[in-house]
Amino acid sequence: MGRGKIEVKRIENNISRQVTFSKRRSGLLKKTHELSVLCDAQIGLIIFSNKGKLYEYCTQPLSMGQIIERYLRVTGTRIPEHDNREQIYNELTKMKNETHHLQLGMQRYKGNDLSSVQYEELLGLEHQLEQSINKVRARKFQLLQQQLDNLQKTEKMLDKENQDMYRWLMNNHIQKQQEELDQHQQAMTELKLMGHQQVSEQFPFCGEEQPSGHLLQFPNFPLHLYPYNLQPTQPNLQEFTLQHPGYD
């Protein structure tokens, strides 16, 4: 069964077109090299892809310039030489004019050299300056608002830190007061226990039922007896004392 004839036309699919270009370009370069070596031919091959990428082959030891020059000499054609001095002069003049207008515009924006400016141009310049001022003020207010927002965030953060520190100090203060109160209560409890123990040692039966058949024993308190004489103030007592001296 014979090979079918392929219709030669542009491949619409980008991927298929790129794959076909790569395969056939390699084959073409290979065939060109074989032809140059086998037949001792001088060949110059130039290929541009659809994206503008250059591929070339040149028979060694010649260069592509030498092959092109030989081609021009054999065919009798010449590459036209363009005198671009006029084009360069026009571009230079255009750049000078643009630079002059820019410098003049900068001077007018600064308010200098307005003597030759007409009324309509002054109105346009004033309008442009007002628009520029509005943009500058809008940007300035935007930066100020950003700074204000940052300051407010910093203030909130510092306020939160201050509240946290205050709560921490208050908790520590309350905890310390509670510890001191507990220590005071413990000390008072110990003092009460010590006082109760001393009373119990002095009064063994204090708060307890006395044993039957025994007398209540009191602690030995020192008794200081001070003698005193009765000084009668009534007359009859004085006479009685005089008559009975032994009753002093």
Side-chain angles (χ1 to χ4, degrees), residues 30-79:
K30 181 179 179 182
K31 293 296 183 180
T32 304
H33 175 69
E34 292 176 355
L35 179 62
S36 175
V37 174
L38 294 175
C39 302
D40 194 18
Q42 297 179 0
I43 304 174
L45 176 64
I46 299 175
I47 304 173
F48 287 100
S49 67
N50 59 347
K51 294 183 179 179
K53 190 174 182 181
L54 172 65
Y55 301 92
E56 63 178 344
Y57 174 82
C58 182
T59 302
Q60 299 297 330
L62 300 176
S63 64
M64 185 63 68
Q66 292 174 343
I67 292 178
I68 294 175
E69 184 179 358
R70 183 177 179 183
Y71 168 79
L72 295 175
R73 185 170 61 251
V74 170
T75 57
T77 58
R78 296 180 59 185
I79 299 176

Side-chain angles (χ1 to χ4, degrees), residues 108-153:
R108 290 177 178 178
Y109 279 123
K110 294 180 180 179
N112 300 326
D113 194 14
L114 298 177
S115 58
S116 61
V117 182
Q118 301 297 325
Y119 180 76
E120 291 77 8
E121 294 179 356
L122 289 174
L123 288 178
L125 180 62
E126 182 182 7
H127 182 66
Q128 292 178 359
L129 290 174
E130 288 179 353
Q131 289 181 348
S132 300
I133 291 175
N134 293 332
K135 292 180 180 179
V136 171
R137 287 176 178 173
R139 178 57 180 169
K140 182 183 70 173
F141 291 151
Q142 183 181 4
L143 293 177
L144 291 175
Q145 186 63 37
Q146 292 178 358
Q147 294 179 0
L148 181 61
D149 294 339
N150 293 332
L151 290 176
Q152 290 177 353
K153 291 179 180 178

